[in-house]
Amino acid sequence: MIAAAVAATAGVFALRALAHWAILRGLRAPRLPHPAGEMAQGALPSSLRELHIAGPNGRRLFARLVLPAQHGHGPWPAVLAMHGWGANAGLMWPVVPPLRAAGFATLLLDARCHGRSDDEDFSSLPRFAEDIAAGLAWLRQQPEIAPDRIALLGHSVGAGAAILHASRQHDVRAVVSLSAFAHPREVMRRLLAQHHIPFTPIGWYVLRHVQRVIGTSFDAIAPLTTLPRVLCPVLLVHGRDDRTVPFDDALRLRAVSQGAELLALEGDHDLSATLAPRADVLVDFLKAACLPAKQD
């Protein structure tokens, strides 16, 4: 009887270990290569640096620092740009030319498990936020950068991470959120439905296990929860035709925020094409937040 109980207990632990492995494997972000020709219309070699930054847990984060064009020798205001899930810094390149022309330095960062950054056992929105914090710490040590005039720009999970960081630290001048979701639980449930996984009991267990692995609840890191605690100006940019994160998420986020602006665009979740014609709105927003007011 004791042997049977031991065997049953061992079986339960083995099943839980298998489930843990399967969940992490199933949710692991694809590691896409940086796109070819991503810098075809960008910075000159003299204004571009490729480097690795010390990240959390001894990991190295790949980054590109792009300095402004024809704006003196600094110190310059800066924007740290964080990609979304399964993407990389190269896919954020379209934001560089307008920022560079406006006099901003831009740090494009690969999160852990993405692009050319080091691997990790798992990735998550909180870990994206930790990588953002590491990037900000590095930026503030650079003599060309004005440490008190830095803004964050993020896409999707990167946007949620930027909002999470700004809600905790209050050390950035502004946040630009591209295609942010309102709540990660809703994202997970949509993902489960797409894969025809029933919520009861499998989906419920997956969500519970993921929260245990990342060390926090979805409620605690949801932009619906964190955005109201952000003190700096926020610009929410969202596609009306977003099939990954409904446009209604942007409306819900604006409703709970302390004066966040909303820029609605035509387009889907990837805003690289539709944002370009409205880049002046993004630049003007960042200038108002990061540049000193002109004296009369």
Side-chain angles (χ1 to χ4, degrees), residues 43-49 67:
L44 297 174
S46 60
S47 63
L48 170 67
R49 301 179 196 168
L67 299 178

Side-chain angles (χ1 to χ4, degrees), residues 94 182 236 242 247:
L236 301 169
D242 194 330
F247 181 71

Side-chain angles (χ1 to χ4, degrees), residues 72-83:
H73 301 286
W76 293 293
V79 176
L80 188 156
M82 177 57 80
H83 58 80

Side-chain angles (χ1 to χ4, degrees), residues 26-102:
L27 296 176
R28 190 167 185 81
R31 189 182 283 269
L32 300 180
H34 281 230
E38 61 193 289
M39 295 178 287
Q41 300 181 7
L44 297 174
S46 60
S47 63
L48 170 67
R49 301 179 196 168
E50 291 193 345
L51 55 134
H52 282 88
I53 292 172
N57 298 333
R59 300 313 200 265
R60 296 191 313 157
L61 306 177
F62 175 79
R64 287 193 176 112
L65 177 66
V66 185
L67 299 178
Q70 302 176 355
H71 282 273
H73 301 286
W76 293 293
V79 176
L80 188 156
M82 177 57 80
H83 58 80
W85 191 262
N88 57 52
L91 297 172
M92 298 298 289
W93 188 262
V95 305
V96 171
L99 292 176
R100 183 171 181 256

Side-chain angles (χ1 to χ4, degrees), residues 171-231:
D171 60 352
V172 294
R173 285 292 190 94
V175 174
V176 177
S177 162
L178 308 179
S179 307
F181 49 77
H183 203 294
R185 181 182 295 108
E186 297 166 3
V187 175
M188 291 292 296
R189 293 202 65 165
R190 287 194 293 268
L191 183 64
L192 292 169
Q194 289 170 10
H195 289 82
H196 307 288
I197 298 174
F199 182 73
T200 305
I202 300 175
W204 174 87
Y205 179 82
V206 169
L207 266 59
R208 183 169 176 267
H209 187 75
V210 168
Q211 291 174 92
R212 185 185 303 116
V213 169
I214 67 176
T216 189
S217 70
F218 289 148
D219 289 337
I221 61 174
L224 279 176
T225 302
T226 58
L227 183 57
R229 299 198 291 266
V230 175
L231 303 182

Side-chain angles (χ1 to χ4, degrees), residues 102-167:
F104 285 86
T106 309
L107 184 69
L108 304 172
L109 196 62
D110 278 347
R112 279 170 287 174
C113 304
H114 292 74
R116 301 180 190 173
S117 287
D118 285 351
D119 209 358
E120 187 69 281
D121 50 351
F122 66 89
S123 187
S124 65
L125 190 154
R127 287 194 167 179
F128 267 61
E130 292 173 0
D131 294 342
I132 286 174
L136 288 173
W138 182 87
L139 262 180
R140 293 195 174 95
Q141 296 173 358
Q142 308 313 303
E144 308 98 324
I145 304 301
D148 60 341
R149 290 188 286 145
I150 300 177
L152 297 178
L153 181 150
H155 177 253
S156 195
V157 171
I163 293 170
L164 177 60
H165 175 89
S167 74

